[in-house]
Amino acid sequence: SNLKELTLNSDLLKDFQDRIANWESCKKIADVIVKKGPFLKLYTTYTGDFKQTMDTYNTCYNKYPKFKKLVDEFERLEGVCKNIKINQHLLKPVQRLQQYQLLLNKYLDHLPRDSEDFDDTTTAL
């Protein structure tokens, strides 16, 4: 997985917060997602490889006792995994991409065709 995937969500949040703070000068949000499009494609790669990644993870977890012990110890570290298993953390990017699509679809459903954000929203989808 690429490091950009790890910072993408915080970058999107920062961009959306900036857009909301300056809403009167630019009443658009989908262009933020369009601008991040190349990085969002990393999610597509991650999603496409997810089954193989999980199969490999599960094989290693079940086959190699030292790996299992390390994972179990890591998951128990206070504040690190927040009572969520590593395999569940690995699933989050897959779910996140689906959530972005759902939010954009709902946004588009309520957006007039003549809105200045309509084209960027359809492009983002």
Side-chain angles (χ1 to χ4, degrees), residues 45-67:
T45 302
Y46 185 91
T47 301
D49 296 340
F50 184 72
K51 183 183 179 333
Q52 181 181 349
T53 300
M54 290 310 300
D55 288 346
T56 302
Y57 170 83
N58 289 326
T59 297
C60 291
Y61 186 84
N62 293 319
K63 186 175 180 179
Y64 302 107
K66 286 183 181 181
F67 180 74

Side-chain angles (χ1 to χ4, degrees), residues 37-118:
F39 300 114
L40 285 167
K41 289 182 181 180
L42 294 173
Y43 276 107
T44 305
T45 302
Y46 185 91
T47 301
D49 296 340
F50 184 72
K51 183 183 179 333
Q52 181 181 349
T53 300
M54 290 310 300
D55 288 346
T56 302
Y57 170 83
N58 289 326
T59 297
C60 291
Y61 186 84
N62 293 319
K63 186 175 180 179
Y64 302 107
K66 286 183 181 181
F67 180 74
K68 180 184 185 315
K69 182 180 180 209
L70 179 70
V71 168
D72 292 344
E73 287 174 6
F74 183 78
E75 289 176 341
R76 282 194 299 271
L77 288 174
E78 185 143 341
V80 175
C81 286
K82 301 176 184 172
N83 294 324
I84 299 173
K85 301 285 186 188
I86 288 177
N87 59 351
Q88 292 169 318
H89 279 285
L90 292 171
L91 180 60
K92 285 183 178 263
V94 175
Q95 294 169 329
R96 189 167 291 127
L97 186 59
Q98 294 169 344
Q99 290 169 338
Y100 289 156
Q101 289 173 318
L102 287 171
L103 288 170
L104 279 171
N105 276 314
K106 283 190 176 275
Y107 180 62
L108 185 62
D109 287 346
H110 298 285
L111 200 60
R113 282 193 158 275
D114 61 348
S115 166
E116 63 183 285
D117 208 14
F118 188 86

Side-chain angles (χ1 to χ4, degrees), residues 18-28 116:
D18 181 56
R19 184 55 56 88
I20 289 167
N22 298 294
W23 186 251
E24 289 306 314
S25 63
C26 186
K27 296 182 178 184
K28 296 172 64 171
E116 63 183 285

